[in-house]
Amino acid sequence: MDASSFAQRLAISGAMPRLSVGMASTVNIGFLAPLSGQAESWGLPGLHGCRIWEGWLNRAGGLLIGGRRYPIRIHAHDCGSGPDEAHEGAVELVQGHDVKLMMMLGGDDYAAAGDYLTEKRILTSTLLPSDLSPDTPYLIAPSEVHPVYVVTGVDWLTRTQPGLKTVALCAQKDGMGLPSLATYRAAFKAAGVEIVSEIQYPASGGDPAEIVGPMLEANPDILCWCTSYTPMVHAMTEYAHARGFTGRILSCTFDHYDRLVGKLGAEFMEGVTFQFPDFDDPALREKAFFFNQPNVFYEEFNNRYPKSWSAVSWEYAAILDIWHAAVEKAGTVNPVSVLAAMKQLGHVTHAFGSAEWWGTELFGIDNALVGDWPVVSIRDGKARIEEFGSVPDWLHAHSGALRREMVDLGQMWDQRLTGPARATKLGARTVAE
């Protein structure tokens, strides 16, 4: 968030209840995400990043609230075993630790815990804005706008490689995969690229031959893994290599891409395109953005947690940066007041620069921050940022097309909240296996 005037800050903070009197000496934050299982690489590295952020802030004195500093403590709960564990973890973190912010990966885990967190008015963050709806007023997506930002990868790839005319898509059938599939559909259609094959496979994974084989039979110029989980991304890429695929590969994430470079060769991996940079990328040194000291953070992360950097290593910490700024401007850790500060204190900045609160058209509520997002490709065995694409510009031109694809796959907020599985808030989100 940009600095606002003293008068504006005083007006906002004066209208909000201060909790510094009588509050606990430590401010508690909940981390409820998969630390094991299929989605571990989208949870555990994020917790590692939060531990670095926690240490940095506490060594600097902690949160400054009402002229007094408070240390913060992050309490983690592993929900890698499934949605039931997510609900139990939410109850434990709220009742046992009185957390003032709950950070989640989202998707089916949030669907299981969301009613409880909303009832308790817990400010909760998700990496999946497709979780948002008018029924989730305390849920925000301030760091990652998955899957909306993937349109920037499609736009860059097809604009710079106009000879790419066809694509084969695949995605897992869950709350992560289906919104991603809808977004990639819309992006490729907007770019004039023909979808020649589409495979939906079980959320638990599948045989790469049964998934990628039919995709290759369509002879596509591009193979797109959408937002497949890391084990499947690696398995499908290895299968494509074994079958002699020579086209372009596109994916939302490519965690541990260096392992594939070492296994399959830099030549095969050249040009693989995805959305998450390494934080030692030279382009980040040239761009003014909100995340604190990206190169220092990246170096410390790799020293403390070697060979574990992933797409989410920095994202939860970036959420903490935004929350921290709002708390100190509001002068309270009250979740409702902090959310109001995020929305009312002028211009907002997310990890990669200027952003705006958006979402009513697609999610029924403006609780997602959208702005520029990096497009990354592998060059000579190393991920490098190609450009920062504008998500708002793409949405301005094509949001209607995205909405149609989301409706087709049952991913709109009103479909999810009125479908037959309303009890779990999944609705039409999940395709029956």
Side-chain angles (χ1 to χ4, degrees):
M1 292 182 181
D2 290 343
S4 55
S5 70
F6 176 78
Q8 184 184 26
R9 291 175 60 180
L10 183 63
I12 294 293
S13 61
M16 297 176 179
R18 292 185 176 272
L19 297 189
S20 57
V21 177
M23 67 178 283
S25 59
T26 299
V27 176
N28 294 315
I29 295 169
F31 188 96
L32 182 58
L35 306 178
S36 61
Q38 177 88 334
E40 176 185 325
S41 69
W42 292 349
L44 185 57
L47 178 60
H48 293 337
C50 289
R51 294 299 184 203
I52 294 173
W53 187 93
E54 178 183 38
W56 284 6
L57 182 65
N58 285 339
R59 285 193 295 273
L63 286 172
L64 180 60
I65 305 173
R68 179 181 170 187
R69 292 196 176 274
Y70 299 84
I72 66 108
R73 184 177 178 187
I74 297 170
H75 302 268
H77 188 100
D78 181 11
C79 60
S81 61
D84 289 342
E85 187 63 36
H87 183 269
E88 293 175 10
V91 174
E92 176 188 317
L93 291 169
V94 172
Q95 295 185 358
H97 300 290
D98 188 28
V99 297
K100 301 304 180 184
L101 171 70
M102 185 77 77
M103 293 185 290
M104 298 187 69
L105 171 62
D108 295 342
D109 291 338
Y110 180 77
D115 281 343
Y116 174 78
L117 294 169
T118 300
E119 177 188 348
K120 296 297 183 181
R121 296 188 177 185
I122 302 299
L123 181 61
T124 303
S125 66
T126 178
L127 300 188
L128 307 179
S130 52
D131 291 332
L132 301 174
S133 79
D135 281 0
T136 61
Y138 309 112
L139 180 68
I140 55 174
S143 180
E144 178 180 350
V145 285
H146 179 275
V148 182
Y149 57 77
V150 302
V151 302
T152 61
V154 174
D155 176 71
W156 174 82
L157 181 61
T158 56
R159 178 166 35 85
T160 59
Q161 302 288 327
L164 302 174
K165 300 297 185 183
T166 59
V167 62
L169 304 166
C170 70
Q172 74 275 16
K173 297 181 288 189
D174 66 4
M176 181 80 74
L178 292 177
S180 179
L181 177 60
T183 309
Y184 274 109
R185 278 184 183 178
F188 278 114
K189 291 178 181 179
V193 174
E194 180 186 2
I195 299 173
V196 294
S197 177
E198 179 184 300
I199 304 294
Q200 297 180 28
Y201 62 88
S204 57
D207 183 348
E210 296 178 359
I211 300 169
V212 184
M215 297 169 69
L216 291 174
E217 289 174 6
N219 194 31
D221 298 322
I222 306 167
L223 288 175
C224 180
W225 308 144
C226 294
T227 311
S228 293
Y229 297 111
T230 300
M232 287 303 298
V233 168
H234 281 235
M236 293 188 299
T237 302
E238 290 179 23
Y239 183 83
H241 174 266
R243 288 284 303 273
F245 180 68
T246 59
R248 298 297 293 263
I249 295 177
L250 178 66
S251 183
C252 176
T253 65
F254 241 96
D255 294 337
H256 312 306
Y257 69 84
D258 56 317
R259 300 175 190 174
L260 288 172
V261 170
K263 189 172 186 178
L264 308 180
E267 183 178 355
F268 177 78
M269 295 294 291
E270 184 75 12
V272 166
T273 302
F274 51 109
Q275 306 284 170
F276 289 87
D278 294 336
F279 267 32
D280 61 350
D281 196 298
L284 292 181
R285 299 182 190 137
E286 301 168 3
K287 185 174 179 65
F289 75 129
F290 190 64
F291 192 87
N292 185 34
Q293 298 179 287
N295 56 329
V296 176
F297 179 87
Y298 184 74
E299 182 178 356
E300 181 168 342
F301 187 100
N302 285 299
N303 287 337
R304 290 178 59 176
Y305 311 104
K307 300 186 183 301
S308 63
W309 179 267
S310 85
V312 303
S313 295
W314 56 271
E315 288 190 310
Y316 297 95
I319 292 170
L320 289 170
D321 262 353
I322 294 171
W323 174 81
H324 176 205
V327 166
E328 294 198 344
K329 287 184 176 181
T332 175
V333 291
N334 177 280
V336 177
S337 299
V338 172
L339 177 59
M342 287 182 180
K343 292 295 191 74
Q344 296 175 20
L345 285 179
H347 191 65
V348 182
T349 307
H350 78 154
F352 298 110
S354 177
E356 59 190 72
W357 289 105
W358 175 88
T360 295
E361 186 173 353
L362 204 61
F363 312 123
I365 191 169
D366 286 334
N367 274 13
L369 277 180
V370 296
D372 289 352
W373 197 267
V375 179
V376 177
S377 72
I378 296 177
R379 289 189 259 133
D380 297 323
K382 177 66 174 174
R384 290 300 184 207
I385 294 174
E386 299 290 356
E387 71 174 20
F388 290 89
S390 172
V391 177
D393 285 354
W394 190 95
L395 288 170
H396 179 73
H398 305 293
S399 62
L402 176 56
R403 180 183 175 89
R404 287 192 293 273
E405 298 297 341
M406 294 285 277
V407 168
D408 185 64
L409 288 175
Q411 301 304 297
M412 287 296 295
W413 67 268
D414 50 348
Q415 292 174 301
R416 291 185 282 111
L417 297 183
T418 59
R422 176 64 181 90
T424 61
K425 281 199 172 183
L426 290 178
R429 166 180 290 189
T430 305
V431 175
E433 296 178 11

mmCIF file of all heavy atoms in Angstrom, residues 293-318:
data_model
loop_
_atom_site.group_PDB
_atom_site.id
_atom_site.type_symbol
_atom_site.label_atom_id
_atom_site.label_comp_id
_atom_site.label_asym_id
_atom_site.label_seq_id
_atom_site.Cartn_x
_atom_site.Cartn_y
_atom_site.Cartn_z
ATOM 1 N N GLN A 293 12.635 -6.827 -0.286
ATOM 2 C CA GLN A 293 13.947 -7.388 -0.570
ATOM 3 C C GLN A 293 13.876 -8.775 -1.230
ATOM 4 O O GLN A 293 14.283 -9.777 -0.639
ATOM 5 C CB GLN A 293 14.757 -7.487 0.722
ATOM 6 C CG GLN A 293 15.032 -6.139 1.388
ATOM 7 C CD GLN A 293 15.816 -6.310 2.673
ATOM 8 O OE1 GLN A 293 15.286 -6.761 3.679
ATOM 9 N NE2 GLN A 293 17.084 -5.961 2.637
ATOM 10 N N PRO A 294 13.385 -8.866 -2.455
ATOM 11 C CA PRO A 294 13.187 -10.181 -3.073
ATOM 12 C C PRO A 294 14.453 -11.010 -3.201
ATOM 13 O O PRO A 294 14.439 -12.212 -2.944
ATOM 14 C CB PRO A 294 12.609 -9.839 -4.449
ATOM 15 C CG PRO A 294 12.977 -8.418 -4.697
ATOM 16 C CD PRO A 294 12.974 -7.772 -3.347
ATOM 17 N N ASN A 295 15.564 -10.375 -3.581
ATOM 18 C CA ASN A 295 16.788 -11.153 -3.749
ATOM 19 C C ASN A 295 17.340 -11.636 -2.413
ATOM 20 O O ASN A 295 17.860 -12.748 -2.304
ATOM 21 C CB ASN A 295 17.846 -10.326 -4.510
ATOM 22 C CG ASN A 295 18.153 -8.999 -3.832
ATOM 23 O OD1 ASN A 295 17.288 -8.412 -3.189
ATOM 24 N ND2 ASN A 295 19.372 -8.518 -3.966
ATOM 25 N N VAL A 296 17.231 -10.811 -1.362
ATOM 26 C CA VAL A 296 17.681 -11.221 -0.026
ATOM 27 C C VAL A 296 16.801 -12.352 0.494
ATOM 28 O O VAL A 296 17.290 -13.329 1.083
ATOM 29 C CB VAL A 296 17.657 -10.026 0.941
ATOM 30 C CG1 VAL A 296 18.033 -10.472 2.358
ATOM 31 C CG2 VAL A 296 18.592 -8.933 0.456
ATOM 32 N N PHE A 297 15.494 -12.229 0.282
ATOM 33 C CA PHE A 297 14.554 -13.270 0.702
ATOM 34 C C PHE A 297 14.879 -14.590 -0.009
ATOM 35 O O PHE A 297 14.911 -15.656 0.614
ATOM 36 C CB PHE A 297 13.127 -12.826 0.372
ATOM 37 C CG PHE A 297 12.066 -13.830 0.724
ATOM 38 C CD1 PHE A 297 11.513 -13.864 1.998
ATOM 39 C CD2 PHE A 297 11.602 -14.737 -0.215
ATOM 40 C CE1 PHE A 297 10.526 -14.791 2.328
ATOM 41 C CE2 PHE A 297 10.620 -15.660 0.095
ATOM 42 C CZ PHE A 297 10.087 -15.680 1.369
ATOM 43 N N TYR A 298 15.118 -14.516 -1.313
ATOM 44 C CA TYR A 298 15.418 -15.711 -2.103
ATOM 45 C C TYR A 298 16.700 -16.381 -1.614
ATOM 46 O O TYR A 298 16.754 -17.615 -1.471
ATOM 47 C CB TYR A 298 15.555 -15.310 -3.571
ATOM 48 C CG TYR A 298 15.784 -16.452 -4.535
ATOM 49 C CD1 TYR A 298 14.748 -17.313 -4.875
ATOM 50 C CD2 TYR A 298 17.031 -16.654 -5.117
ATOM 51 C CE1 TYR A 298 14.947 -18.349 -5.779
ATOM 52 C CE2 TYR A 298 17.243 -17.679 -6.019
ATOM 53 C CZ TYR A 298 16.194 -18.536 -6.344
ATOM 54 O OH TYR A 298 16.406 -19.557 -7.232
ATOM 55 N N GLU A 299 17.703 -15.590 -1.324
ATOM 56 C CA GLU A 299 18.974 -16.154 -0.854
ATOM 57 C C GLU A 299 18.808 -16.824 0.505
ATOM 58 O O GLU A 299 19.304 -17.945 0.725
ATOM 59 C CB GLU A 299 20.025 -15.045 -0.769
ATOM 60 C CG GLU A 299 21.397 -15.536 -0.329
ATOM 61 C CD GLU A 299 22.442 -14.426 -0.308
ATOM 62 O OE1 GLU A 299 22.104 -13.294 -0.718
ATOM 63 O OE2 GLU A 299 23.572 -14.697 0.126
ATOM 64 N N GLU A 300 18.100 -16.155 1.421
ATOM 65 C CA GLU A 300 17.900 -16.752 2.744
ATOM 66 C C GLU A 300 17.046 -18.009 2.662
ATOM 67 O O GLU A 300 17.316 -19.005 3.339
ATOM 68 C CB GLU A 300 17.268 -15.744 3.703
ATOM 69 C CG GLU A 300 17.074 -16.320 5.104
ATOM 70 C CD GLU A 300 16.720 -15.275 6.142
ATOM 71 O OE1 GLU A 300 16.941 -14.070 5.894
ATOM 72 O OE2 GLU A 300 16.241 -15.669 7.225
ATOM 73 N N PHE A 301 16.037 -17.973 1.817
ATOM 74 C CA PHE A 301 15.176 -19.144 1.671
ATOM 75 C C PHE A 301 15.988 -20.354 1.218
ATOM 76 O O PHE A 301 15.881 -21.454 1.776
ATOM 77 C CB PHE A 301 14.050 -18.855 0.665
ATOM 78 C CG PHE A 301 13.019 -19.947 0.580
ATOM 79 C CD1 PHE A 301 11.813 -19.826 1.252
ATOM 80 C CD2 PHE A 301 13.241 -21.095 -0.160
ATOM 81 C CE1 PHE A 301 10.856 -20.828 1.183
ATOM 82 C CE2 PHE A 301 12.305 -22.104 -0.230
ATOM 83 C CZ PHE A 301 11.109 -21.971 0.443
ATOM 84 N N ASN A 302 16.792 -20.167 0.191
ATOM 85 C CA ASN A 302 17.561 -21.287 -0.352
ATOM 86 C C ASN A 302 18.656 -21.759 0.595
ATOM 87 O O ASN A 302 19.015 -22.944 0.593
ATOM 88 C CB ASN A 302 18.139 -20.917 -1.715
ATOM 89 C CG ASN A 302 17.081 -20.929 -2.802
ATOM 90 O OD1 ASN A 302 16.469 -21.944 -3.077
ATOM 91 N ND2 ASN A 302 16.852 -19.784 -3.425
ATOM 92 N N ASN A 303 19.178 -20.849 1.424
ATOM 93 C CA ASN A 303 20.150 -21.266 2.428
ATOM 94 C C ASN A 303 19.496 -22.084 3.533
ATOM 95 O O ASN A 303 20.068 -23.082 4.002
ATOM 96 C CB ASN A 303 20.845 -20.037 3.032
ATOM 97 C CG ASN A 303 21.833 -19.396 2.075
ATOM 98 O OD1 ASN A 303 22.338 -20.048 1.157
ATOM 99 N ND2 ASN A 303 22.113 -18.113 2.272
ATOM 100 N N ARG A 304 18.306 -21.678 3.954
ATOM 101 C CA ARG A 304 17.636 -22.369 5.060
ATOM 102 C C ARG A 304 16.871 -23.606 4.615
ATOM 103 O O ARG A 304 16.773 -24.580 5.358
ATOM 104 C CB ARG A 304 16.678 -21.396 5.763
ATOM 105 C CG ARG A 304 17.387 -20.313 6.556
ATOM 106 C CD ARG A 304 16.421 -19.333 7.193
ATOM 107 N NE ARG A 304 15.483 -19.969 8.112
ATOM 108 C CZ ARG A 304 14.593 -19.300 8.840
ATOM 109 N NH1 ARG A 304 14.548 -17.962 8.758
ATOM 110 N NH2 ARG A 304 13.768 -19.926 9.648
ATOM 111 N N TYR A 305 16.308 -23.546 3.408
ATOM 112 C CA TYR A 305 15.467 -24.658 2.923
ATOM 113 C C TYR A 305 15.917 -25.049 1.513
ATOM 114 O O TYR A 305 15.198 -24.829 0.535
ATOM 115 C CB TYR A 305 13.994 -24.247 2.918
ATOM 116 C CG TYR A 305 13.529 -23.620 4.213
ATOM 117 C CD1 TYR A 305 13.335 -22.237 4.311
ATOM 118 C CD2 TYR A 305 13.286 -24.398 5.339
ATOM 119 C CE1 TYR A 305 12.908 -21.656 5.498
ATOM 120 C CE2 TYR A 305 12.855 -23.825 6.530
ATOM 121 C CZ TYR A 305 12.674 -22.447 6.601
ATOM 122 O OH TYR A 305 12.254 -21.883 7.780
ATOM 123 N N PRO A 306 17.091 -25.609 1.379
ATOM 124 C CA PRO A 306 17.634 -25.888 0.038
ATOM 125 C C PRO A 306 16.766 -26.836 -0.767
ATOM 126 O O PRO A 306 16.147 -27.753 -0.221
ATOM 127 C CB PRO A 306 19.003 -26.512 0.345
ATOM 128 C CG PRO A 306 18.928 -26.992 1.748
ATOM 129 C CD PRO A 306 17.996 -26.054 2.448
ATOM 130 N N LYS A 307 16.693 -26.544 -2.069
ATOM 131 C CA LYS A 307 15.984 -27.380 -3.046
ATOM 132 C C LYS A 307 14.478 -27.480 -2.766
ATOM 133 O O LYS A 307 13.838 -28.463 -3.122
ATOM 134 C CB LYS A 307 16.595 -28.789 -3.118
ATOM 135 C CG LYS A 307 18.058 -28.802 -3.516
ATOM 136 C CD LYS A 307 18.567 -30.213 -3.707
ATOM 137 C CE LYS A 307 20.053 -30.221 -4.034
ATOM 138 N NZ LYS A 307 20.376 -29.464 -5.255
ATOM 139 N N SER A 308 13.907 -26.461 -2.135
ATOM 140 C CA SER A 308 12.465 -26.503 -1.848
ATOM 141 C C SER A 308 11.714 -25.273 -2.353
ATOM 142 O O SER A 308 10.519 -25.130 -2.098
ATOM 143 C CB SER A 308 12.224 -26.661 -0.342
ATOM 144 O OG SER A 308 12.729 -25.553 0.384
ATOM 145 N N TRP A 309 12.400 -24.356 -3.074
ATOM 146 C CA TRP A 309 11.715 -23.168 -3.609
ATOM 147 C C TRP A 309 10.602 -23.601 -4.558
ATOM 148 O O TRP A 309 10.786 -24.474 -5.399
ATOM 149 C CB TRP A 309 12.717 -22.286 -4.343
ATOM 150 C CG TRP A 309 12.115 -21.054 -4.959
ATOM 151 C CD1 TRP A 309 11.642 -20.918 -6.236
ATOM 152 C CD2 TRP A 309 11.925 -19.786 -4.329
ATOM 153 N NE1 TRP A 309 11.176 -19.653 -6.440
ATOM 154 C CE2 TRP A 309 11.325 -18.925 -5.294
ATOM 155 C CE3 TRP A 309 12.202 -19.287 -3.057
ATOM 156 C CZ2 TRP A 309 11.010 -17.602 -5.004
ATOM 157 C CZ3 TRP A 309 11.882 -17.970 -2.779
ATOM 158 C CH2 TRP A 309 11.296 -17.143 -3.739
ATOM 159 N N SER A 310 9.427 -22.999 -4.426
ATOM 160 C CA SER A 310 8.300 -23.323 -5.298
ATOM 161 C C SER A 310 7.534 -22.055 -5.633
ATOM 162 O O SER A 310 7.898 -20.956 -5.199
ATOM 163 C CB SER A 310 7.365 -24.341 -4.620
ATOM 164 O OG SER A 310 6.428 -23.692 -3.768
ATOM 165 N N ALA A 311 6.449 -22.222 -6.365
ATOM 166 C CA ALA A 311 5.642 -21.077 -6.776
ATOM 167 C C ALA A 311 5.104 -20.287 -5.591
ATOM 168 O O ALA A 311 4.860 -19.083 -5.697
ATOM 169 C CB ALA A 311 4.475 -21.552 -7.651
ATOM 170 N N VAL A 312 4.908 -20.946 -4.452
ATOM 171 C CA VAL A 312 4.279 -20.263 -3.318
ATOM 172 C C VAL A 312 5.274 -19.864 -2.236
ATOM 173 O O VAL A 312 4.863 -19.386 -1.180
ATOM 174 C CB VAL A 312 3.162 -21.132 -2.692
ATOM 175 C CG1 VAL A 312 2.119 -21.487 -3.715
ATOM 176 C CG2 VAL A 312 3.732 -22.384 -2.039
ATOM 177 N N SER A 313 6.552 -20.051 -2.475
ATOM 178 C CA SER A 313 7.537 -19.767 -1.425
ATOM 179 C C SER A 313 7.420 -18.347 -0.896
ATOM 180 O O SER A 313 7.662 -18.084 0.282
ATOM 181 C CB SER A 313 8.951 -20.008 -1.965
ATOM 182 O OG SER A 313 9.158 -21.364 -2.271
ATOM 183 N N TRP A 314 7.057 -17.409 -1.763
ATOM 184 C CA TRP A 314 6.983 -16.004 -1.383
ATOM 185 C C TRP A 314 5.548 -15.503 -1.216
ATOM 186 O O TRP A 314 5.327 -14.446 -0.619
ATOM 187 C CB TRP A 314 7.648 -15.145 -2.460
ATOM 188 C CG TRP A 314 7.044 -15.355 -3.831
ATOM 189 C CD1 TRP A 314 7.426 -16.284 -4.755
ATOM 190 C CD2 TRP A 314 5.937 -14.648 -4.406
ATOM 191 N NE1 TRP A 314 6.631 -16.195 -5.879
ATOM 192 C CE2 TRP A 314 5.704 -15.202 -5.688
ATOM 193 C CE3 TRP A 314 5.133 -13.608 -3.966
ATOM 194 C CZ2 TRP A 314 4.684 -14.746 -6.527
ATOM 195 C CZ3 TRP A 314 4.113 -13.149 -4.802
ATOM 196 C CH2 TRP A 314 3.903 -13.715 -6.068
ATOM 197 N N GLU A 315 4.550 -16.254 -1.708
ATOM 198 C CA GLU A 315 3.204 -15.684 -1.814
ATOM 199 C C GLU A 315 2.540 -15.440 -0.466
ATOM 200 O O GLU A 315 1.892 -14.405 -0.253
ATOM 201 C CB GLU A 315 2.323 -16.581 -2.675
ATOM 202 C CG GLU A 315 2.685 -16.515 -4.135
ATOM 203 C CD GLU A 315 1.664 -17.214 -5.007
ATOM 204 O OE1 GLU A 315 1.320 -18.368 -4.710
ATOM 205 O OE2 GLU A 315 1.210 -16.593 -5.968
ATOM 206 N N TYR A 316 2.652 -16.384 0.447
ATOM 207 C CA TYR A 316 2.049 -16.170 1.761
ATOM 208 C C TYR A 316 2.768 -15.039 2.497
ATOM 209 O O TYR A 316 2.134 -14.244 3.204
ATOM 210 C CB TYR A 316 2.105 -17.458 2.580
ATOM 211 C CG TYR A 316 1.320 -18.612 2.008
ATOM 212 C CD1 TYR A 316 1.941 -19.568 1.212
ATOM 213 C CD2 TYR A 316 -0.041 -18.766 2.276
ATOM 214 C CE1 TYR A 316 1.237 -20.647 0.691
ATOM 215 C CE2 TYR A 316 -0.759 -19.845 1.761
ATOM 216 C CZ TYR A 316 -0.107 -20.776 0.967
ATOM 217 O OH TYR A 316 -0.818 -21.846 0.450
ATOM 218 N N ALA A 317 4.093 -14.956 2.339
ATOM 219 C CA ALA A 317 4.838 -13.854 2.949
ATOM 220 C C ALA A 317 4.413 -12.510 2.360
ATOM 221 O O ALA A 317 4.361 -11.502 3.077
ATOM 222 C CB ALA A 317 6.338 -14.069 2.769
ATOM 223 N N ALA A 318 4.103 -12.485 1.070
ATOM 224 C CA ALA A 318 3.624 -11.251 0.452
ATOM 225 C C ALA A 318 2.277 -10.838 1.041
ATOM 226 O O ALA A 318 1.993 -9.645 1.210
ATOM 227 C CB ALA A 318 3.512 -11.429 -1.059
#
